[in-house]
Amino acid sequence: MRHIAIIGSGPAGYYSAEAAQKKFGDEVCVDIIDRLPVPFGLIRTGVAPDHQSIKAVSRRYEKTALGDNVHFIGNVCVGDNISIEELQGLYDAVVLATGAPNDRVLEIPGSDLDGVIGSAAFVGWYNGHPDFRDLDPILDGRSVAIIGNGNVALDVARIMAKTEAEFVGSDIVGHALDQLKDSNIEKITLLGRRGPHQIAMTPKELGELGHLERAKPVVDPLDFPDEGADALLEPGMRKSVTHLRSFFDRAGELREKPVTLDFDFFAMPVAIVGDGKVEKLVVEKTVLDKDLRSKGTGERYEIECSMVVSCIGYRTPPIEGVPYEHGRGRFANEEGRILPGLYCVGWAKRGPSGTIGTNKPDGFAIIDKIAEDIGAGDNKEGRKGLDRLFARRGVETVTFKDWKKIEQAEIDNARDGAPREKFTDVSDMMAAQKI
Ligand code: NAP
C-alpha cells in the first residue's frame, strides 16, 4: 500500500488525489490535509462569488473526496500541529499543494498606509476567508485605485462596481454585501504599468465589464496601437483587446451609469501619499522598451483615492526547511520534485498562473513522478500513525462527512437567492460540524 499526504485541499490538491486514485486504484491511501475545517481552497475563498459556474468544479472534487481511499483531514496546520519531517516519516510521498495565498509585496513608499490592501486580503474579505473577515475596507471614499492588469484586478473592480441586485445568486458573504451596498465609490481606476496589448486579463472576464448595471468601462483610444497590430496577438489576447476596443465609443449608451471603471495604461505607481491613510497615488507615465517591459518617462501625475488595492500577483508561503525560490515566490523544485519524498504541485510548484484547469495536468504529472519514485510503497504507517499522533497532541480534526454538516448549515443560513452563507469564523465552523 502507498500512503500519500497532500497538504492543501484546493484544485491542485484534489486533482492530484484524483490522479492517485486513477493511477493506483485500491493500492493507495490519500490524506488531504487542510488548515481550515472546510475544503476546496481557492474555489471557496479565491474564485469570485459571482462566478458560481467556476465554483461548480468542486462537485468533481467531491466525487474524489467520497472515494474510499481519499480522506479529508481539516483543521490541521502543518508546521503547528505536525511538521513536514513527521509527515515524511508517515507517508511515502508528501505533496505540497498549498497554493499561493500571500500577496506579492508592493514595494513603493507609502504602501504601509491605512487603506492600502493586497488582493489576497480584499478577495478573502468578500469571500469570507477567516483570516480577512475583519478587514473593514475603506469604501466611503469616491475614488479607488486598483494596481495590476490581471484577472484578479478585474474581479476586485467588478465586485466593487456591482449593485446589490447583481449579487443575487452569488455567495458573497453578508458582511461584504452590506458594506459594498453602502459604498460611495464612483471612480475605480485600474492601473496597468504596460499597455492594452500586455494585459493579463482573459476575454470572458473582460467582456463582463461591458454589462454592469451601474458601471461603465472607460478606455483612452490613444493608448492603443493601430487595430491592424491586433492580428499579431495570440487568439485569446486578441479577443481581450477587442473587448477593450469595444469600450471606446459607448459614451452615449453608457451615459446613465454613475460609476466609471477607468483603464489607466502605461501607468506605474511610484508612491502612495497621505496623512496616516491613503489620499493620493503618485503615478509615472511609462513607455515600452524593446523587450516590452515598462520604462518610466519621468512624467508624473496624481490620482486622488481613499483606497489602493494591489493586485500584482501572489506568493507561496515558505515552510521552514523546505527549499524555496524567493524570486518567484514558490518552492524550489524540478518538475514538482523538491526533496526525496517531498513534492509540490499547482501554484506552489509553478507560481500563480493559469486557470483552475491548469492544475489538472499538473496533478496528474506529479502522481506519475511519485509512481516512478516510490514504486509499491515502503510500508509506511500513513493515516494510522497520523491519527495516533493527533490523539496524543489533542488535535481536533474535521472529516469530509463533518464538512458536509458545515456545508448544510451554510446552505440553511443562505439569504434569499444565495446558494449559501459561509461561516467566516473557524469556531463557528467547528461548532456546526458537531451538530
Ligand atoms: P497576473 O495575471 O500575474 O497579473 C498581475 C498584474 O500585476 C500584471 O498586469 C502585472 O503587470 C502587474 N504587476 C506586477 N507587478 C507589478 C508592479 N510592481 N507594479 C505594477 N503592476 C504590477 O496575476 P493575478 O491577476 O493575481 O492572477 C493570478 C492568476 O489567477 C492568473 O493566472 C489569473 O488568470 C488567474 N485568475 C483567473 C480568474 C478567472 O479565470 N476568472 C480570476 C482570477 C484570477 P506586468 O504584466 O507588467 O508584469
Side-chain angles (χ1 to χ4, degrees), residues 51 54 104 106 119 147-153 155 191 193-194 198 200 202 205 268-269 311-314 347 352-355:
H51 281 171
I54 300 180
R104 269 183 73 188
L106 180 68
S119 52
I147 302 174
N149 267 183
N151 280 329
V152 171
D155 280 350
L191 292 111
R193 61 181 171 182
R194 299 190 288 158
Q198 287 77 40
T202 44
E205 285 64 31
M268 167 68 102
C311 306
I312 60 171
Y314 295 113
W347 282 8
S353 62
T355 62

PDB file of all heavy atoms in Angstrom, residues 51 54 104 106 119 147-153 155 191 193-194 198 200 202 205 268-269 311-314 347 352-355, ligand 1:
ATOM      1  N   HIS A  51     -19.040  34.167  -9.678  1.00  0.00           N
ATOM      2  CA  HIS A  51     -18.640  33.203 -10.708  1.00  0.00           C
ATOM      3  C   HIS A  51     -18.973  31.785 -10.229  1.00  0.00           C
ATOM      4  O   HIS A  51     -18.093  30.945 -10.063  1.00  0.00           O
ATOM      5  CB  HIS A  51     -17.146  33.335 -11.019  1.00  0.00           C
ATOM      6  CG  HIS A  51     -16.827  34.486 -11.913  1.00  0.00           C
ATOM      7  ND1 HIS A  51     -15.545  34.903 -12.190  1.00  0.00           N
ATOM      8  CD2 HIS A  51     -17.639  35.313 -12.622  1.00  0.00           C
ATOM      9  CE1 HIS A  51     -15.576  35.942 -13.024  1.00  0.00           C
ATOM     10  NE2 HIS A  51     -16.837  36.209 -13.292  1.00  0.00           N
ATOM     11  N   ILE A  54     -17.823  28.628 -12.201  1.00  0.00           N
ATOM     12  CA  ILE A  54     -16.437  28.168 -11.989  1.00  0.00           C
ATOM     13  C   ILE A  54     -16.370  27.380 -10.676  1.00  0.00           C
ATOM     14  O   ILE A  54     -15.747  26.327 -10.584  1.00  0.00           O
ATOM     15  CB  ILE A  54     -15.445  29.358 -11.955  1.00  0.00           C
ATOM     16  CG1 ILE A  54     -15.488  30.132 -13.274  1.00  0.00           C
ATOM     17  CG2 ILE A  54     -14.024  28.872 -11.668  1.00  0.00           C
ATOM     18  CD1 ILE A  54     -14.546  31.329 -13.335  1.00  0.00           C
ATOM     19  N   ARG A 104       2.077  39.351  -3.443  1.00  0.00           N
ATOM     20  CA  ARG A 104       3.388  39.923  -3.787  1.00  0.00           C
ATOM     21  C   ARG A 104       3.402  41.327  -3.210  1.00  0.00           C
ATOM     22  O   ARG A 104       2.416  42.055  -3.300  1.00  0.00           O
ATOM     23  CB  ARG A 104       3.545  40.016  -5.309  1.00  0.00           C
ATOM     24  CG  ARG A 104       4.183  38.795  -5.892  1.00  0.00           C
ATOM     25  CD  ARG A 104       4.374  38.953  -7.368  1.00  0.00           C
ATOM     26  NE  ARG A 104       5.430  39.879  -7.696  1.00  0.00           N
ATOM     27  CZ  ARG A 104       5.670  40.297  -8.935  1.00  0.00           C
ATOM     28  NH1 ARG A 104       4.921  39.869  -9.925  1.00  0.00           N
ATOM     29  NH2 ARG A 104       6.645  41.132  -9.176  1.00  0.00           N
ATOM     30  N   LEU A 106       3.905  45.167  -2.662  1.00  0.00           N
ATOM     31  CA  LEU A 106       4.010  46.402  -3.443  1.00  0.00           C
ATOM     32  C   LEU A 106       5.101  47.250  -2.795  1.00  0.00           C
ATOM     33  O   LEU A 106       4.907  47.810  -1.718  1.00  0.00           O
ATOM     34  CB  LEU A 106       2.657  47.125  -3.403  1.00  0.00           C
ATOM     35  CG  LEU A 106       2.568  48.442  -4.151  1.00  0.00           C
ATOM     36  CD1 LEU A 106       2.669  48.220  -5.658  1.00  0.00           C
ATOM     37  CD2 LEU A 106       1.257  49.156  -3.820  1.00  0.00           C
ATOM     38  N   SER A 119      -4.609  42.163  -2.741  1.00  0.00           N
ATOM     39  CA  SER A 119      -5.786  41.461  -3.263  1.00  0.00           C
ATOM     40  C   SER A 119      -6.132  40.237  -2.424  1.00  0.00           C
ATOM     41  O   SER A 119      -7.308  39.894  -2.276  1.00  0.00           O
ATOM     42  CB  SER A 119      -5.579  41.068  -4.724  1.00  0.00           C
ATOM     43  OG  SER A 119      -4.367  40.379  -4.882  1.00  0.00           O
ATOM     44  N   ILE A 147      -4.203  48.375  -8.574  1.00  0.00           N
ATOM     45  CA  ILE A 147      -2.930  48.232  -9.303  1.00  0.00           C
ATOM     46  C   ILE A 147      -2.833  46.831  -9.892  1.00  0.00           C
ATOM     47  O   ILE A 147      -3.008  45.840  -9.185  1.00  0.00           O
ATOM     48  CB  ILE A 147      -1.741  48.495  -8.356  1.00  0.00           C
ATOM     49  CG1 ILE A 147      -1.859  49.905  -7.763  1.00  0.00           C
ATOM     50  CG2 ILE A 147      -0.420  48.333  -9.098  1.00  0.00           C
ATOM     51  CD1 ILE A 147      -0.813  50.208  -6.697  1.00  0.00           C
ATOM     52  N   GLY A 148      -2.552  46.762 -11.189  1.00  0.00           N
ATOM     53  CA  GLY A 148      -2.419  45.468 -11.857  1.00  0.00           C
ATOM     54  C   GLY A 148      -3.443  45.333 -12.970  1.00  0.00           C
ATOM     55  O   GLY A 148      -4.533  45.899 -12.905  1.00  0.00           O
ATOM     56  N   ASN A 149      -3.067  44.594 -13.991  1.00  0.00           N
ATOM     57  CA  ASN A 149      -3.954  44.373 -15.137  1.00  0.00           C
ATOM     58  C   ASN A 149      -4.169  42.888 -15.370  1.00  0.00           C
ATOM     59  O   ASN A 149      -4.105  42.388 -16.491  1.00  0.00           O
ATOM     60  CB  ASN A 149      -3.379  45.036 -16.401  1.00  0.00           C
ATOM     61  CG  ASN A 149      -3.904  46.442 -16.635  1.00  0.00           C
ATOM     62  OD1 ASN A 149      -3.585  47.088 -17.624  1.00  0.00           O
ATOM     63  ND2 ASN A 149      -4.739  46.926 -15.726  1.00  0.00           N
ATOM     64  N   GLY A 150      -4.397  42.146 -14.270  1.00  0.00           N
ATOM     65  CA  GLY A 150      -4.690  40.717 -14.387  1.00  0.00           C
ATOM     66  C   GLY A 150      -6.148  40.441 -14.051  1.00  0.00           C
ATOM     67  O   GLY A 150      -6.929  41.371 -13.774  1.00  0.00           O
ATOM     68  N   ASN A 151      -6.515  39.173 -14.035  1.00  0.00           N
ATOM     69  CA  ASN A 151      -7.912  38.800 -13.740  1.00  0.00           C
ATOM     70  C   ASN A 151      -8.327  39.123 -12.310  1.00  0.00           C
ATOM     71  O   ASN A 151      -9.505  39.355 -12.046  1.00  0.00           O
ATOM     72  CB  ASN A 151      -8.120  37.308 -14.007  1.00  0.00           C
ATOM     73  CG  ASN A 151      -8.320  37.035 -15.484  1.00  0.00           C
ATOM     74  OD1 ASN A 151      -8.855  37.870 -16.209  1.00  0.00           O
ATOM     75  ND2 ASN A 151      -7.888  35.873 -15.936  1.00  0.00           N
ATOM     76  N   VAL A 152      -7.361  39.116 -11.389  1.00  0.00           N
ATOM     77  CA  VAL A 152      -7.726  39.452 -10.008  1.00  0.00           C
ATOM     78  C   VAL A 152      -8.121  40.930  -9.926  1.00  0.00           C
ATOM     79  O   VAL A 152      -9.106  41.287  -9.273  1.00  0.00           O
ATOM     80  CB  VAL A 152      -6.579  39.100  -9.039  1.00  0.00           C
ATOM     81  CG1 VAL A 152      -6.861  39.645  -7.653  1.00  0.00           C
ATOM     82  CG2 VAL A 152      -6.414  37.584  -8.971  1.00  0.00           C
ATOM     83  N   ALA A 153      -7.385  41.795 -10.624  1.00  0.00           N
ATOM     84  CA  ALA A 153      -7.755  43.221 -10.659  1.00  0.00           C
ATOM     85  C   ALA A 153      -9.179  43.365 -11.213  1.00  0.00           C
ATOM     86  O   ALA A 153      -9.983  44.154 -10.702  1.00  0.00           O
ATOM     87  CB  ALA A 153      -6.764  43.999 -11.514  1.00  0.00           C
ATOM     88  N   ASP A 155     -11.600  41.076 -11.113  1.00  0.00           N
ATOM     89  CA  ASP A 155     -12.542  40.585 -10.087  1.00  0.00           C
ATOM     90  C   ASP A 155     -12.813  41.683  -9.064  1.00  0.00           C
ATOM     91  O   ASP A 155     -13.960  41.968  -8.714  1.00  0.00           O
ATOM     92  CB  ASP A 155     -11.957  39.377  -9.328  1.00  0.00           C
ATOM     93  CG  ASP A 155     -12.096  38.058 -10.086  1.00  0.00           C
ATOM     94  OD1 ASP A 155     -12.813  38.029 -11.102  1.00  0.00           O
ATOM     95  OD2 ASP A 155     -11.491  37.059  -9.649  1.00  0.00           O
ATOM     96  N   LEU A 191      -4.883  50.415 -12.900  1.00  0.00           N
ATOM     97  CA  LEU A 191      -3.593  50.856 -13.440  1.00  0.00           C
ATOM     98  C   LEU A 191      -2.783  49.699 -14.006  1.00  0.00           C
ATOM     99  O   LEU A 191      -2.494  48.733 -13.301  1.00  0.00           O
ATOM    100  CB  LEU A 191      -2.769  51.520 -12.335  1.00  0.00           C
ATOM    101  CG  LEU A 191      -3.342  52.840 -11.860  1.00  0.00           C
ATOM    102  CD1 LEU A 191      -3.856  52.694 -10.455  1.00  0.00           C
ATOM    103  CD2 LEU A 191      -2.317  53.940 -11.946  1.00  0.00           C
ATOM    104  N   ARG A 193       0.911  48.904 -15.746  1.00  0.00           N
ATOM    105  CA  ARG A 193       2.194  49.582 -15.994  1.00  0.00           C
ATOM    106  C   ARG A 193       2.619  49.445 -17.452  1.00  0.00           C
ATOM    107  O   ARG A 193       3.560  50.092 -17.894  1.00  0.00           O
ATOM    108  CB  ARG A 193       3.273  49.054 -15.055  1.00  0.00           C
ATOM    109  CG  ARG A 193       3.573  47.580 -15.194  1.00  0.00           C
ATOM    110  CD  ARG A 193       4.629  47.154 -14.200  1.00  0.00           C
ATOM    111  NE  ARG A 193       4.785  45.714 -14.177  1.00  0.00           N
ATOM    112  CZ  ARG A 193       5.606  45.074 -13.371  1.00  0.00           C
ATOM    113  NH1 ARG A 193       6.366  45.747 -12.536  1.00  0.00           N
ATOM    114  NH2 ARG A 193       5.696  43.762 -13.391  1.00  0.00           N
ATOM    115  N   ARG A 194       1.906  48.558 -18.195  1.00  0.00           N
ATOM    116  CA  ARG A 194       2.180  48.455 -19.636  1.00  0.00           C
ATOM    117  C   ARG A 194       0.885  48.780 -20.406  1.00  0.00           C
ATOM    118  O   ARG A 194       0.000  49.435 -19.875  1.00  0.00           O
ATOM    119  CB  ARG A 194       2.728  47.069 -19.953  1.00  0.00           C
ATOM    120  CG  ARG A 194       4.049  46.836 -19.197  1.00  0.00           C
ATOM    121  CD  ARG A 194       4.783  45.598 -19.639  1.00  0.00           C
ATOM    122  NE  ARG A 194       4.131  44.368 -19.212  1.00  0.00           N
ATOM    123  CZ  ARG A 194       4.306  43.189 -19.794  1.00  0.00           C
ATOM    124  NH1 ARG A 194       5.118  43.102 -20.847  1.00  0.00           N
ATOM    125  NH2 ARG A 194       3.698  42.112 -19.355  1.00  0.00           N
ATOM    126  N   GLN A 198      -0.542  44.212 -23.489  1.00  0.00           N
ATOM    127  CA  GLN A 198       0.227  43.452 -22.488  1.00  0.00           C
ATOM    128  C   GLN A 198      -0.624  43.068 -21.272  1.00  0.00           C
ATOM    129  O   GLN A 198      -0.099  42.620 -20.262  1.00  0.00           O
ATOM    130  CB  GLN A 198       1.440  44.270 -22.014  1.00  0.00           C
ATOM    131  CG  GLN A 198       2.572  44.378 -23.013  1.00  0.00           C
ATOM    132  CD  GLN A 198       2.300  45.365 -24.119  1.00  0.00           C
ATOM    133  OE1 GLN A 198       1.748  46.435 -23.870  1.00  0.00           O
ATOM    134  NE2 GLN A 198       2.656  45.017 -25.348  1.00  0.00           N
ATOM    135  N   ALA A 200      -3.057  41.014 -18.684  1.00  0.00           N
ATOM    136  CA  ALA A 200      -3.129  39.585 -18.319  1.00  0.00           C
ATOM    137  C   ALA A 200      -4.584  39.208 -18.034  1.00  0.00           C
ATOM    138  O   ALA A 200      -4.850  38.325 -17.229  1.00  0.00           O
ATOM    139  CB  ALA A 200      -2.235  39.327 -17.112  1.00  0.00           C
ATOM    140  N   THR A 202      -8.403  37.883 -19.202  1.00  0.00           N
ATOM    141  CA  THR A 202      -8.946  36.966 -20.206  1.00  0.00           C
ATOM    142  C   THR A 202     -10.288  37.494 -20.748  1.00  0.00           C
ATOM    143  O   THR A 202     -10.966  38.283 -20.087  1.00  0.00           O
ATOM    144  CB  THR A 202      -9.066  35.540 -19.632  1.00  0.00           C
ATOM    145  OG1 THR A 202      -9.607  35.614 -18.326  1.00  0.00           O
ATOM    146  CG2 THR A 202      -7.711  34.872 -19.551  1.00  0.00           C
ATOM    147  N   GLU A 205     -13.838  37.399 -18.812  1.00  0.00           N
ATOM    148  CA  GLU A 205     -13.850  38.244 -17.618  1.00  0.00           C
ATOM    149  C   GLU A 205     -13.893  39.721 -18.013  1.00  0.00           C
ATOM    150  O   GLU A 205     -14.602  40.523 -17.412  1.00  0.00           O
ATOM    151  CB  GLU A 205     -12.607  37.963 -16.764  1.00  0.00           C
ATOM    152  CG  GLU A 205     -12.637  36.660 -15.985  1.00  0.00           C
ATOM    153  CD  GLU A 205     -12.682  35.397 -16.830  1.00  0.00           C
ATOM    154  OE1 GLU A 205     -12.130  35.413 -17.959  1.00  0.00           O
ATOM    155  OE2 GLU A 205     -13.273  34.391 -16.395  1.00  0.00           O
ATOM    156  N   MET A 268       2.594  53.603 -14.012  1.00  0.00           N
ATOM    157  CA  MET A 268       3.344  52.875 -12.975  1.00  0.00           C
ATOM    158  C   MET A 268       3.227  53.607 -11.641  1.00  0.00           C
ATOM    159  O   MET A 268       3.679  54.743 -11.527  1.00  0.00           O
ATOM    160  CB  MET A 268       4.822  52.815 -13.417  1.00  0.00           C
ATOM    161  CG  MET A 268       5.759  52.388 -12.328  1.00  0.00           C
ATOM    162  SD  MET A 268       5.480  50.685 -11.890  1.00  0.00           S
ATOM    163  CE  MET A 268       6.828  49.942 -12.752  1.00  0.00           C
ATOM    164  N   PRO A 269       2.606  52.961 -10.644  1.00  0.00           N
ATOM    165  CA  PRO A 269       2.521  53.621  -9.330  1.00  0.00           C
ATOM    166  C   PRO A 269       3.920  53.763  -8.737  1.00  0.00           C
ATOM    167  O   PRO A 269       4.692  52.795  -8.757  1.00  0.00           O
ATOM    168  CB  PRO A 269       1.693  52.645  -8.492  1.00  0.00           C
ATOM    169  CG  PRO A 269       1.190  51.621  -9.434  1.00  0.00           C
ATOM    170  CD  PRO A 269       2.036  51.621 -10.642  1.00  0.00           C
ATOM    171  N   CYS A 311      -3.124  44.397  -6.858  1.00  0.00           N
ATOM    172  CA  CYS A 311      -3.435  43.067  -7.434  1.00  0.00           C
ATOM    173  C   CYS A 311      -2.302  42.684  -8.367  1.00  0.00           C
ATOM    174  O   CYS A 311      -2.464  42.631  -9.597  1.00  0.00           O
ATOM    175  CB  CYS A 311      -4.754  43.116  -8.204  1.00  0.00           C
ATOM    176  SG  CYS A 311      -6.138  43.750  -7.261  1.00  0.00           S
ATOM    177  N   ILE A 312      -1.115  42.483  -7.781  1.00  0.00           N
ATOM    178  CA  ILE A 312       0.076  42.307  -8.619  1.00  0.00           C
ATOM    179  C   ILE A 312       0.634  40.890  -8.518  1.00  0.00           C
ATOM    180  O   ILE A 312       1.788  40.651  -8.832  1.00  0.00           O
ATOM    181  CB  ILE A 312       1.154  43.354  -8.261  1.00  0.00           C
ATOM    182  CG1 ILE A 312       1.588  43.228  -6.800  1.00  0.00           C
ATOM    183  CG2 ILE A 312       0.651  44.779  -8.519  1.00  0.00           C
ATOM    184  CD1 ILE A 312       2.815  44.091  -6.441  1.00  0.00           C
ATOM    185  N   GLY A 313      -0.194  39.961  -8.115  1.00  0.00           N
ATOM    186  CA  GLY A 313       0.231  38.560  -8.082  1.00  0.00           C
ATOM    187  C   GLY A 313       0.456  38.069  -6.663  1.00  0.00           C
ATOM    188  O   GLY A 313       0.385  38.837  -5.696  1.00  0.00           O
ATOM    189  N   TYR A 314       0.693  36.770  -6.569  1.00  0.00           N
ATOM    190  CA  TYR A 314       0.748  36.104  -5.258  1.00  0.00           C
ATOM    191  C   TYR A 314       2.055  35.343  -5.063  1.00  0.00           C
ATOM    192  O   TYR A 314       2.817  35.135  -6.013  1.00  0.00           O
ATOM    193  CB  TYR A 314      -0.419  35.113  -5.163  1.00  0.00           C
ATOM    194  CG  TYR A 314      -1.780  35.761  -5.174  1.00  0.00           C
ATOM    195  CD1 TYR A 314      -2.664  35.569  -6.241  1.00  0.00           C
ATOM    196  CD2 TYR A 314      -2.196  36.548  -4.121  1.00  0.00           C
ATOM    197  CE1 TYR A 314      -3.925  36.146  -6.249  1.00  0.00           C
ATOM    198  CE2 TYR A 314      -3.452  37.127  -4.109  1.00  0.00           C
ATOM    199  CZ  TYR A 314      -4.318  36.928  -5.177  1.00  0.00           C
ATOM    200  OH  TYR A 314      -5.546  37.511  -5.162  1.00  0.00           O
ATOM    201  N   TRP A 347       0.044  25.990  -7.947  1.00  0.00           N
ATOM    202  CA  TRP A 347       0.727  27.282  -7.772  1.00  0.00           C
ATOM    203  C   TRP A 347       1.966  27.166  -6.899  1.00  0.00           C
ATOM    204  O   TRP A 347       2.919  27.912  -7.073  1.00  0.00           O
ATOM    205  CB  TRP A 347      -0.250  28.304  -7.176  1.00  0.00           C
ATOM    206  CG  TRP A 347      -1.207  28.872  -8.193  1.00  0.00           C
ATOM    207  CD1 TRP A 347      -1.375  28.463  -9.484  1.00  0.00           C
ATOM    208  CD2 TRP A 347      -2.107  29.988  -8.008  1.00  0.00           C
ATOM    209  NE1 TRP A 347      -2.332  29.237 -10.114  1.00  0.00           N
ATOM    210  CE2 TRP A 347      -2.793  30.176  -9.225  1.00  0.00           C
ATOM    211  CE3 TRP A 347      -2.398  30.823  -6.936  1.00  0.00           C
ATOM    212  CZ2 TRP A 347      -3.759  31.171  -9.398  1.00  0.00           C
ATOM    213  CZ3 TRP A 347      -3.359  31.817  -7.107  1.00  0.00           C
ATOM    214  CH2 TRP A 347      -4.027  31.998  -8.324  1.00  0.00           C
ATOM    215  N   PRO A 352       1.791  31.551  -9.383  1.00  0.00           N
ATOM    216  CA  PRO A 352       0.356  31.792  -9.589  1.00  0.00           C
ATOM    217  C   PRO A 352       0.022  32.153 -11.027  1.00  0.00           C
ATOM    218  O   PRO A 352      -0.041  33.331 -11.381  1.00  0.00           O
ATOM    219  CB  PRO A 352       0.073  32.965  -8.644  1.00  0.00           C
ATOM    220  CG  PRO A 352       1.375  33.683  -8.554  1.00  0.00           C
ATOM    221  CD  PRO A 352       2.461  32.682  -8.724  1.00  0.00           C
ATOM    222  N   SER A 353      -0.180  31.130 -11.849  1.00  0.00           N
ATOM    223  CA  SER A 353      -0.508  31.401 -13.250  1.00  0.00           C
ATOM    224  C   SER A 353      -1.515  30.363 -13.738  1.00  0.00           C
ATOM    225  O   SER A 353      -1.664  29.297 -13.127  1.00  0.00           O
ATOM    226  CB  SER A 353       0.756  31.297 -14.106  1.00  0.00           C
ATOM    227  OG  SER A 353       1.241  29.970 -14.022  1.00  0.00           O
ATOM    228  N   GLY A 354      -2.181  30.704 -14.817  1.00  0.00           N
ATOM    229  CA  GLY A 354      -3.096  29.744 -15.446  1.00  0.00           C
ATOM    230  C   GLY A 354      -4.465  29.734 -14.785  1.00  0.00           C
ATOM    231  O   GLY A 354      -4.742  30.491 -13.859  1.00  0.00           O
ATOM    232  N   THR A 355      -5.317  28.862 -15.306  1.00  0.00           N
ATOM    233  CA  THR A 355      -6.687  28.781 -14.803  1.00  0.00           C
ATOM    234  C   THR A 355      -6.793  27.616 -13.816  1.00  0.00           C
ATOM    235  O   THR A 355      -5.822  26.882 -13.600  1.00  0.00           O
ATOM    236  CB  THR A 355      -7.667  28.514 -15.963  1.00  0.00           C
ATOM    237  OG1 THR A 355      -7.313  27.246 -16.529  1.00  0.00           O
ATOM    238  CG2 THR A 355      -7.566  29.589 -17.036  1.00  0.00           C
TER     239      THR A 355
HETATM  240  P1  NAP B   1      -1.379  38.177 -13.003  1.00  0.00           P
HETATM  241  O1  NAP B   1      -2.253  37.592 -14.024  1.00  0.00           O
HETATM  242  O2  NAP B   1       0.037  37.724 -12.934  1.00  0.00           O
HETATM  243  O3  NAP B   1      -1.407  39.772 -13.161  1.00  0.00           O
HETATM  244  C1  NAP B   1      -0.608  40.596 -12.361  1.00  0.00           C
HETATM  245  C2  NAP B   1      -0.654  42.004 -12.896  1.00  0.00           C
HETATM  246  O4  NAP B   1       0.072  42.827 -11.988  1.00  0.00           O
HETATM  247  C3  NAP B   1       0.010  42.180 -14.263  1.00  0.00           C
HETATM  248  O5  NAP B   1      -0.742  43.098 -15.018  1.00  0.00           O
HETATM  249  C4  NAP B   1       1.389  42.769 -13.890  1.00  0.00           C
HETATM  250  O6  NAP B   1       1.927  43.608 -14.886  1.00  0.00           O
HETATM  251  C5  NAP B   1       1.019  43.608 -12.709  1.00  0.00           C
HETATM  252  N1  NAP B   1       2.148  43.900 -11.843  1.00  0.00           N
HETATM  253  C6  NAP B   1       3.028  43.019 -11.300  1.00  0.00           C
HETATM  254  N2  NAP B   1       3.918  43.680 -10.527  1.00  0.00           N
HETATM  255  C7  NAP B   1       3.607  44.988 -10.597  1.00  0.00           C
HETATM  256  C8  NAP B   1       4.141  46.157 -10.022  1.00  0.00           C
HETATM  257  N3  NAP B   1       5.198  46.105  -9.209  1.00  0.00           N
HETATM  258  N4  NAP B   1       3.576  47.354 -10.311  1.00  0.00           N
HETATM  259  C9  NAP B   1       2.500  47.411 -11.133  1.00  0.00           C
HETATM  260  N5  NAP B   1       1.933  46.338 -11.707  1.00  0.00           N
HETATM  261  C10 NAP B   1       2.484  45.139 -11.439  1.00  0.00           C
HETATM  262  O7  NAP B   1      -1.929  37.924 -11.521  1.00  0.00           O
HETATM  263  P2  NAP B   1      -3.411  37.878 -10.931  1.00  0.00           P
HETATM  264  O8  NAP B   1      -4.299  38.861 -11.547  1.00  0.00           O
HETATM  265  O9  NAP B   1      -3.172  37.898  -9.456  1.00  0.00           O
HETATM  266  O10 NAP B   1      -3.941  36.427 -11.321  1.00  0.00           O
HETATM  267  C11 NAP B   1      -3.276  35.234 -10.832  1.00  0.00           C
HETATM  268  C12 NAP B   1      -3.755  34.047 -11.656  1.00  0.00           C
HETATM  269  O11 NAP B   1      -5.115  33.739 -11.328  1.00  0.00           O
HETATM  270  C13 NAP B   1      -3.727  34.304 -13.161  1.00  0.00           C
HETATM  271  O12 NAP B   1      -3.359  33.146 -13.813  1.00  0.00           O
HETATM  272  C14 NAP B   1      -5.183  34.643 -13.449  1.00  0.00           C
HETATM  273  O13 NAP B   1      -5.566  34.427 -14.791  1.00  0.00           O
HETATM  274  C15 NAP B   1      -5.895  33.693 -12.501  1.00  0.00           C
HETATM  275  N6  NAP B   1      -7.258  34.170 -12.244  1.00  0.00           N
HETATM  276  C16 NAP B   1      -8.228  33.750 -13.098  1.00  0.00           C
HETATM  277  C17 NAP B   1      -9.518  34.207 -12.926  1.00  0.00           C
HETATM  278  C18 NAP B   1     -10.587  33.738 -13.879  1.00  0.00           C
HETATM  279  O14 NAP B   1     -10.307  32.932 -14.744  1.00  0.00           O
HETATM  280  N7  NAP B   1     -11.804  34.235 -13.790  1.00  0.00           N
HETATM  281  C19 NAP B   1      -9.826  35.081 -11.891  1.00  0.00           C
HETATM  282  C20 NAP B   1      -8.806  35.497 -11.041  1.00  0.00           C
HETATM  283  C21 NAP B   1      -7.515  35.036 -11.233  1.00  0.00           C
HETATM  284  P3  NAP B   1       3.083  43.094 -15.901  1.00  0.00           P
HETATM  285  O15 NAP B   1       2.377  42.241 -16.873  1.00  0.00           O
HETATM  286  O16 NAP B   1       3.633  44.330 -16.437  1.00  0.00           O
HETATM  287  O17 NAP B   1       4.048  42.298 -15.035  1.00  0.00           O
END
